[in-house]
Amino acid sequence: MMKVILIDDDPVMHLILRKMLVKFPGVQVAGAFKDTQSAAAFLSANNDIGLAFVDISMPGESGMVFASRMEEAGGGVQIVFVTSSKEFA
Protein backbone atom coordinates (compact mmCIF):
# COMPACT_ATOMS: atom_id res chain seq x y z
CA MET A 1 0.00 0.00 0.00
CA MET A 2 1.43 3.38 -1.00
CA LYS A 3 0.54 6.23 1.34
CA VAL A 4 0.22 9.66 -0.25
CA ILE A 5 -0.54 13.18 0.95
CA LEU A 6 -2.16 16.13 -0.78
CA ILE A 7 -0.90 19.71 -0.36
CA ASP A 8 -3.03 22.39 -2.00
CA ASP A 9 -4.60 25.60 -0.74
CA ASP A 10 -7.75 24.91 -2.82
CA PRO A 11 -10.13 22.41 -1.14
CA VAL A 12 -11.71 21.65 -4.55
CA MET A 13 -8.35 20.24 -5.70
CA HIS A 14 -8.30 17.98 -2.62
CA LEU A 15 -11.68 16.59 -3.71
CA ILE A 16 -10.60 16.13 -7.34
CA LEU A 17 -7.36 14.38 -6.36
CA ARG A 18 -9.14 12.10 -3.88
CA LYS A 19 -11.69 11.10 -6.53
CA MET A 20 -8.88 10.23 -8.94
CA LEU A 21 -6.76 8.37 -6.37
CA VAL A 22 -9.60 6.25 -4.97
CA LYS A 23 -9.57 4.40 -8.30
CA PHE A 24 -6.18 2.89 -7.42
CA PRO A 25 -6.59 0.14 -4.80
CA GLY A 26 -2.92 0.27 -3.80
CA VAL A 27 -3.04 3.97 -2.87
CA GLN A 28 -4.16 5.44 0.44
CA VAL A 29 -4.53 9.19 1.05
CA ALA A 30 -2.96 9.56 4.50
CA GLY A 31 -3.44 13.31 4.82
CA ALA A 32 -4.52 16.50 3.08
CA PHE A 33 -3.05 19.91 3.88
CA LYS A 34 -3.74 23.50 2.85
CA ASP A 35 -0.17 24.68 3.49
CA THR A 36 3.35 23.31 3.37
CA GLN A 37 4.14 23.96 7.04
CA SER A 38 1.48 21.58 8.35
CA ALA A 39 2.43 19.02 5.69
CA ALA A 40 6.11 19.22 6.69
CA ALA A 41 5.19 18.69 10.35
CA PHE A 42 3.11 15.64 9.37
CA LEU A 43 5.95 14.24 7.25
CA SER A 44 8.46 14.64 10.08
CA ALA A 45 6.25 12.41 12.24
CA ASN A 46 5.29 9.93 9.48
CA ASN A 47 8.16 8.45 7.51
CA ASP A 48 5.98 5.94 5.63
CA ILE A 49 4.61 8.46 3.10
CA GLY A 50 5.81 7.61 -0.41
CA LEU A 51 4.30 10.36 -2.53
CA ALA A 52 3.09 13.95 -2.14
CA PHE A 53 0.86 15.76 -4.62
CA VAL A 54 1.94 19.39 -4.20
CA ASP A 55 0.41 22.56 -5.64
CA ILE A 56 3.07 24.63 -7.37
CA SER A 57 1.65 28.01 -6.37
CA MET A 58 0.31 28.60 -2.85
CA PRO A 59 0.26 31.53 -0.43
CA GLY A 60 3.26 31.47 1.86
CA GLU A 61 5.75 28.81 0.78
CA SER A 62 5.37 27.65 -2.82
CA GLY A 63 5.32 24.00 -3.75
CA MET A 64 8.66 24.42 -5.51
CA VAL A 65 10.35 25.76 -2.37
CA PHE A 66 8.71 23.01 -0.30
CA ALA A 67 10.04 20.32 -2.65
CA SER A 68 13.52 21.78 -2.47
CA ARG A 69 13.35 21.87 1.33
CA MET A 70 12.19 18.24 1.45
CA GLU A 71 15.03 17.17 -0.83
CA GLU A 72 17.60 18.99 1.34
CA ALA A 73 16.16 17.29 4.42
CA GLY A 74 16.80 13.92 2.78
CA GLY A 75 13.23 12.66 3.00
CA GLY A 76 12.19 9.78 0.81
CA VAL A 77 8.97 11.40 -0.35
CA GLN A 78 8.53 11.67 -4.11
CA ILE A 79 6.82 14.86 -5.33
CA VAL A 80 4.19 15.22 -8.06
CA PHE A 81 3.41 18.85 -8.83
CA VAL A 82 -0.21 19.76 -9.49
CA THR A 83 -1.80 23.08 -10.37
CA SER A 84 -5.01 24.65 -11.53
CA SER A 85 -3.16 27.85 -12.43
CA LYS A 86 -3.07 28.70 -16.13
CA GLU A 87 0.33 30.29 -15.50
CA PHE A 88 1.94 26.91 -14.75
CA ALA A 89 -0.32 24.43 -16.56
Side-chain angles (χ1 to χ4, degrees), residues 5-47:
I5 62 169
L6 315 175
I7 310 168
D8 198 307
D9 60 314
D10 183 356
V12 173
M13 285 300 292
H14 288 215
L15 182 63
I16 291 168
L17 287 167
R18 281 182 186 274
K19 283 189 174 194
M20 289 182 350
L21 293 169
V22 75
K23 295 176 184 178
F24 298 95
V27 174
Q28 174 191 5
V29 177
F33 306 93
K34 293 183 180 178
D35 62 81
T36 58
Q37 289 75 22
S38 56
F42 179 83
L43 287 172
S44 69
N46 296 276
N47 61 0

Short mmCIF file of all heavy atoms in Angstrom, two decimals, residues 5-47:
data_model
loop_
_atom_site.label_atom_id
_atom_site.label_comp_id
_atom_site.label_asym_id
_atom_site.label_seq_id
_atom_site.Cartn_x
_atom_site.Cartn_y
_atom_site.Cartn_z
N ILE A 5 0.09 12.00 0.35
CA ILE A 5 -0.54 13.18 0.95
C ILE A 5 -0.83 14.19 -0.16
O ILE A 5 -0.21 14.16 -1.23
CB ILE A 5 0.32 13.82 2.05
CG1 ILE A 5 1.67 14.30 1.52
CG2 ILE A 5 0.49 12.87 3.23
CD1 ILE A 5 2.44 15.17 2.52
N LEU A 6 -1.76 15.07 0.13
CA LEU A 6 -2.16 16.13 -0.78
C LEU A 6 -1.84 17.47 -0.12
O LEU A 6 -2.16 17.67 1.05
CB LEU A 6 -3.66 16.07 -1.07
CG LEU A 6 -4.25 14.69 -1.37
CD1 LEU A 6 -5.76 14.78 -1.51
CD2 LEU A 6 -3.61 14.09 -2.60
N ILE A 7 -1.21 18.37 -0.88
CA ILE A 7 -0.90 19.71 -0.36
C ILE A 7 -1.36 20.72 -1.40
O ILE A 7 -0.76 20.86 -2.46
CB ILE A 7 0.61 19.89 -0.08
CG1 ILE A 7 1.16 18.73 0.76
CG2 ILE A 7 0.86 21.23 0.58
CD1 ILE A 7 2.66 18.69 0.85
N ASP A 8 -2.45 21.40 -1.08
CA ASP A 8 -3.03 22.39 -2.00
C ASP A 8 -3.90 23.34 -1.18
O ASP A 8 -4.62 22.90 -0.30
CB ASP A 8 -3.88 21.67 -3.06
CG ASP A 8 -4.14 22.53 -4.28
OD1 ASP A 8 -4.62 23.67 -4.12
OD2 ASP A 8 -3.86 22.06 -5.40
N ASP A 9 -3.81 24.62 -1.49
CA ASP A 9 -4.60 25.60 -0.74
C ASP A 9 -6.06 25.63 -1.19
O ASP A 9 -6.89 26.24 -0.55
CB ASP A 9 -3.98 27.00 -0.84
CG ASP A 9 -3.88 27.50 -2.27
OD1 ASP A 9 -3.44 26.74 -3.14
OD2 ASP A 9 -4.24 28.67 -2.51
N ASP A 10 -6.39 24.93 -2.28
CA ASP A 10 -7.75 24.91 -2.82
C ASP A 10 -8.43 23.59 -2.42
O ASP A 10 -8.05 22.52 -2.91
CB ASP A 10 -7.70 25.04 -4.34
CG ASP A 10 -9.07 25.10 -4.99
OD1 ASP A 10 -10.09 24.96 -4.28
OD2 ASP A 10 -9.11 25.29 -6.21
N PRO A 11 -9.46 23.64 -1.56
CA PRO A 11 -10.13 22.41 -1.14
C PRO A 11 -10.78 21.65 -2.30
O PRO A 11 -10.93 20.43 -2.22
CB PRO A 11 -11.20 22.88 -0.16
CG PRO A 11 -11.08 24.35 -0.03
CD PRO A 11 -9.99 24.82 -0.92
N VAL A 12 -11.13 22.32 -3.38
CA VAL A 12 -11.71 21.65 -4.55
C VAL A 12 -10.67 20.70 -5.15
O VAL A 12 -10.99 19.59 -5.59
CB VAL A 12 -12.22 22.66 -5.59
CG1 VAL A 12 -12.64 21.98 -6.87
CG2 VAL A 12 -13.36 23.48 -5.01
N MET A 13 -9.41 21.11 -5.17
CA MET A 13 -8.35 20.24 -5.70
C MET A 13 -8.18 19.00 -4.82
O MET A 13 -7.90 17.92 -5.33
CB MET A 13 -7.03 21.01 -5.82
CG MET A 13 -7.00 21.95 -7.00
SD MET A 13 -7.23 21.12 -8.59
CE MET A 13 -5.72 20.18 -8.72
N HIS A 14 -8.37 19.14 -3.51
CA HIS A 14 -8.30 17.98 -2.62
C HIS A 14 -9.37 16.97 -3.05
O HIS A 14 -9.11 15.77 -3.14
CB HIS A 14 -8.55 18.39 -1.17
CG HIS A 14 -7.43 19.13 -0.55
ND1 HIS A 14 -7.10 18.99 0.78
CD2 HIS A 14 -6.54 20.02 -1.05
CE1 HIS A 14 -6.07 19.77 1.07
NE2 HIS A 14 -5.72 20.40 -0.04
N LEU A 15 -10.57 17.46 -3.31
CA LEU A 15 -11.68 16.59 -3.71
C LEU A 15 -11.39 15.91 -5.05
O LEU A 15 -11.58 14.70 -5.20
CB LEU A 15 -12.97 17.42 -3.80
CG LEU A 15 -14.23 16.67 -4.18
CD1 LEU A 15 -14.57 15.62 -3.13
CD2 LEU A 15 -15.39 17.64 -4.34
N ILE A 16 -10.91 16.68 -6.01
CA ILE A 16 -10.60 16.13 -7.34
C ILE A 16 -9.51 15.06 -7.24
O ILE A 16 -9.65 13.97 -7.81
CB ILE A 16 -10.16 17.25 -8.31
CG1 ILE A 16 -11.36 18.16 -8.63
CG2 ILE A 16 -9.55 16.68 -9.58
CD1 ILE A 16 -10.98 19.45 -9.33
N LEU A 17 -8.45 15.35 -6.50
CA LEU A 17 -7.36 14.38 -6.36
C LEU A 17 -7.83 13.11 -5.65
O LEU A 17 -7.48 12.00 -6.05
CB LEU A 17 -6.18 15.01 -5.63
CG LEU A 17 -5.38 16.03 -6.43
CD1 LEU A 17 -4.44 16.81 -5.52
CD2 LEU A 17 -4.60 15.35 -7.54
N ARG A 18 -8.62 13.28 -4.60
CA ARG A 18 -9.14 12.10 -3.88
C ARG A 18 -9.99 11.22 -4.80
O ARG A 18 -9.88 10.00 -4.76
CB ARG A 18 -9.96 12.52 -2.67
CG ARG A 18 -9.14 12.94 -1.48
CD ARG A 18 -10.04 13.30 -0.30
NE ARG A 18 -9.32 13.83 0.82
CZ ARG A 18 -8.75 13.10 1.77
NH1 ARG A 18 -8.83 11.79 1.72
NH2 ARG A 18 -8.11 13.67 2.76
N LYS A 19 -10.84 11.86 -5.62
CA LYS A 19 -11.69 11.10 -6.53
C LYS A 19 -10.85 10.33 -7.55
O LYS A 19 -11.22 9.23 -7.95
CB LYS A 19 -12.69 12.02 -7.24
CG LYS A 19 -13.84 12.41 -6.37
CD LYS A 19 -14.90 13.14 -7.16
CE LYS A 19 -16.10 13.38 -6.27
NZ LYS A 19 -17.28 13.77 -7.04
N MET A 20 -9.76 10.92 -7.99
CA MET A 20 -8.88 10.23 -8.94
C MET A 20 -8.12 9.10 -8.25
O MET A 20 -8.00 8.00 -8.80
CB MET A 20 -7.90 11.22 -9.58
CG MET A 20 -8.57 12.17 -10.54
SD MET A 20 -7.52 13.35 -11.43
CE MET A 20 -5.94 13.26 -10.72
N LEU A 21 -7.61 9.35 -7.05
CA LEU A 21 -6.76 8.37 -6.37
C LEU A 21 -7.53 7.18 -5.82
O LEU A 21 -6.97 6.09 -5.69
CB LEU A 21 -5.96 9.06 -5.26
CG LEU A 21 -4.92 10.06 -5.75
CD1 LEU A 21 -4.36 10.87 -4.60
CD2 LEU A 21 -3.80 9.34 -6.50
N VAL A 22 -8.80 7.35 -5.51
CA VAL A 22 -9.60 6.25 -4.97
C VAL A 22 -9.74 5.12 -5.99
O VAL A 22 -10.00 3.97 -5.63
CB VAL A 22 -10.98 6.74 -4.48
CG1 VAL A 22 -11.92 7.04 -5.63
CG2 VAL A 22 -11.60 5.74 -3.53
N LYS A 23 -9.48 5.41 -7.24
CA LYS A 23 -9.57 4.40 -8.30
C LYS A 23 -8.40 3.42 -8.27
O LYS A 23 -8.43 2.39 -8.94
CB LYS A 23 -9.63 5.08 -9.67
CG LYS A 23 -10.89 5.92 -9.86
CD LYS A 23 -10.86 6.66 -11.17
CE LYS A 23 -12.08 7.57 -11.27
NZ LYS A 23 -12.08 8.35 -12.49
N PHE A 24 -7.36 3.74 -7.51
CA PHE A 24 -6.18 2.89 -7.42
C PHE A 24 -6.19 2.17 -6.07
O PHE A 24 -5.92 2.78 -5.04
CB PHE A 24 -4.91 3.72 -7.58
CG PHE A 24 -4.81 4.41 -8.91
CD1 PHE A 24 -5.23 5.72 -9.06
CD2 PHE A 24 -4.32 3.73 -10.01
CE1 PHE A 24 -5.16 6.36 -10.28
CE2 PHE A 24 -4.24 4.36 -11.25
CZ PHE A 24 -4.67 5.68 -11.38
N PRO A 25 -6.46 0.86 -6.07
CA PRO A 25 -6.59 0.14 -4.80
C PRO A 25 -5.31 0.11 -3.96
O PRO A 25 -5.38 -0.06 -2.75
CB PRO A 25 -7.01 -1.27 -5.23
CG PRO A 25 -6.72 -1.37 -6.68
CD PRO A 25 -6.69 0.01 -7.23
N GLY A 26 -4.17 0.30 -4.55
CA GLY A 26 -2.92 0.27 -3.80
C GLY A 26 -2.49 1.61 -3.24
O GLY A 26 -1.39 1.75 -2.72
N VAL A 27 -3.38 2.61 -3.32
CA VAL A 27 -3.04 3.97 -2.87
C VAL A 27 -3.97 4.38 -1.74
O VAL A 27 -5.18 4.21 -1.82
CB VAL A 27 -3.15 4.98 -4.04
CG1 VAL A 27 -2.94 6.40 -3.56
CG2 VAL A 27 -2.16 4.63 -5.13
N GLN A 28 -3.39 4.93 -0.69
CA GLN A 28 -4.16 5.44 0.44
C GLN A 28 -3.80 6.90 0.69
O GLN A 28 -2.61 7.22 0.85
CB GLN A 28 -3.87 4.63 1.70
CG GLN A 28 -4.54 5.19 2.94
CD GLN A 28 -4.03 4.54 4.22
OE1 GLN A 28 -3.11 3.73 4.20
NE2 GLN A 28 -4.61 4.92 5.33
N VAL A 29 -4.78 7.79 0.72
CA VAL A 29 -4.53 9.19 1.05
C VAL A 29 -4.43 9.27 2.57
O VAL A 29 -5.41 9.09 3.29
CB VAL A 29 -5.63 10.13 0.52
CG1 VAL A 29 -5.37 11.56 0.95
CG2 VAL A 29 -5.71 10.05 -1.00
N ALA A 30 -3.22 9.54 3.06
CA ALA A 30 -2.96 9.56 4.50
C ALA A 30 -3.16 10.93 5.12
O ALA A 30 -3.24 11.05 6.34
CB ALA A 30 -1.53 9.08 4.76
N GLY A 31 -3.24 11.97 4.28
CA GLY A 31 -3.44 13.31 4.82
C GLY A 31 -3.62 14.32 3.70
O GLY A 31 -3.18 14.10 2.58
N ALA A 32 -4.31 15.41 4.03
CA ALA A 32 -4.52 16.50 3.08
C ALA A 32 -4.27 17.81 3.82
O ALA A 32 -4.80 18.01 4.93
CB ALA A 32 -5.93 16.45 2.52
N PHE A 33 -3.50 18.69 3.21
CA PHE A 33 -3.05 19.91 3.88
C PHE A 33 -3.23 21.11 2.98
O PHE A 33 -3.08 21.02 1.76
CB PHE A 33 -1.57 19.77 4.27
CG PHE A 33 -1.32 18.53 5.08
CD1 PHE A 33 -0.94 17.35 4.46
CD2 PHE A 33 -1.51 18.54 6.45
CE1 PHE A 33 -0.74 16.19 5.19
CE2 PHE A 33 -1.32 17.39 7.19
CZ PHE A 33 -0.93 16.20 6.57
N LYS A 34 -3.53 22.25 3.60
CA LYS A 34 -3.74 23.50 2.85
C LYS A 34 -2.47 24.34 2.78
O LYS A 34 -2.43 25.35 2.10
CB LYS A 34 -4.86 24.32 3.49
CG LYS A 34 -6.21 23.66 3.35
CD LYS A 34 -7.30 24.53 3.93
CE LYS A 34 -8.64 23.85 3.77
NZ LYS A 34 -9.73 24.64 4.35
N ASP A 35 -1.43 23.93 3.51
CA ASP A 35 -0.17 24.68 3.49
C ASP A 35 1.00 23.72 3.70
O ASP A 35 0.83 22.61 4.21
CB ASP A 35 -0.16 25.78 4.57
CG ASP A 35 -0.28 25.19 5.96
OD1 ASP A 35 0.74 24.74 6.50
OD2 ASP A 35 -1.41 25.17 6.51
N THR A 36 2.17 24.17 3.30
CA THR A 36 3.35 23.31 3.37
C THR A 36 3.87 23.11 4.79
O THR A 36 4.45 22.08 5.09
CB THR A 36 4.47 23.87 2.48
OG1 THR A 36 4.80 25.18 2.91
CG2 THR A 36 4.06 23.89 1.02
N GLN A 37 3.64 24.08 5.67
CA GLN A 37 4.14 23.96 7.04
C GLN A 37 3.49 22.80 7.77
O GLN A 37 4.17 22.00 8.43
CB GLN A 37 3.93 25.27 7.81
CG GLN A 37 4.83 26.41 7.37
CD GLN A 37 4.39 27.05 6.05
OE1 GLN A 37 3.24 26.95 5.63
NE2 GLN A 37 5.32 27.70 5.37
N SER A 38 2.16 22.69 7.67
CA SER A 38 1.48 21.58 8.35
C SER A 38 1.84 20.25 7.69
O SER A 38 1.97 19.23 8.37
CB SER A 38 -0.03 21.81 8.38
OG SER A 38 -0.55 22.00 7.10
N ALA A 39 2.02 20.25 6.38
CA ALA A 39 2.43 19.02 5.69
C ALA A 39 3.83 18.59 6.13
O ALA A 39 4.08 17.40 6.36
CB ALA A 39 2.39 19.23 4.18
N ALA A 40 4.74 19.54 6.27
CA ALA A 40 6.11 19.22 6.69
C ALA A 40 6.11 18.65 8.11
O ALA A 40 6.85 17.69 8.40
CB ALA A 40 6.99 20.47 6.62
N ALA A 41 5.28 19.21 8.98
CA ALA A 41 5.19 18.69 10.35
C ALA A 41 4.66 17.26 10.33
O ALA A 41 5.16 16.38 11.06
CB ALA A 41 4.28 19.58 11.19
N PHE A 42 3.67 16.99 9.50
CA PHE A 42 3.11 15.64 9.37
C PHE A 42 4.18 14.68 8.86
O PHE A 42 4.33 13.57 9.37
CB PHE A 42 1.90 15.66 8.43
CG PHE A 42 1.27 14.31 8.22
CD1 PHE A 42 0.36 13.81 9.13
CD2 PHE A 42 1.59 13.55 7.10
CE1 PHE A 42 -0.23 12.56 8.93
CE2 PHE A 42 1.01 12.31 6.89
CZ PHE A 42 0.10 11.82 7.81
N LEU A 43 4.91 15.10 7.84
CA LEU A 43 5.95 14.24 7.25
C LEU A 43 7.07 13.94 8.24
O LEU A 43 7.63 12.84 8.23
CB LEU A 43 6.52 14.88 5.99
CG LEU A 43 5.61 14.86 4.77
CD1 LEU A 43 6.21 15.70 3.65
CD2 LEU A 43 5.35 13.44 4.30
N SER A 44 7.39 14.89 9.11
CA SER A 44 8.46 14.64 10.08
C SER A 44 8.05 13.58 11.10
O SER A 44 8.90 12.91 11.67
CB SER A 44 8.87 15.94 10.78
OG SER A 44 7.84 16.39 11.64
N ALA A 45 6.74 13.40 11.30
CA ALA A 45 6.25 12.41 12.24
C ALA A 45 5.81 11.11 11.56
O ALA A 45 5.53 10.12 12.24
CB ALA A 45 5.07 12.98 13.03
N ASN A 46 5.75 11.11 10.23
CA ASN A 46 5.29 9.93 9.48
C ASN A 46 6.25 9.66 8.33
O ASN A 46 6.15 10.27 7.28
CB ASN A 46 3.88 10.19 8.92
CG ASN A 46 2.86 10.37 10.00
OD1 ASN A 46 2.33 9.41 10.52
ND2 ASN A 46 2.61 11.61 10.38
N ASN A 47 7.15 8.71 8.54
CA ASN A 47 8.16 8.45 7.51
C ASN A 47 7.72 7.36 6.52
O ASN A 47 8.53 6.88 5.75
CB ASN A 47 9.50 8.11 8.14
CG ASN A 47 9.44 6.88 9.02
OD1 ASN A 47 8.39 6.27 9.17
ND2 ASN A 47 10.56 6.52 9.60
#
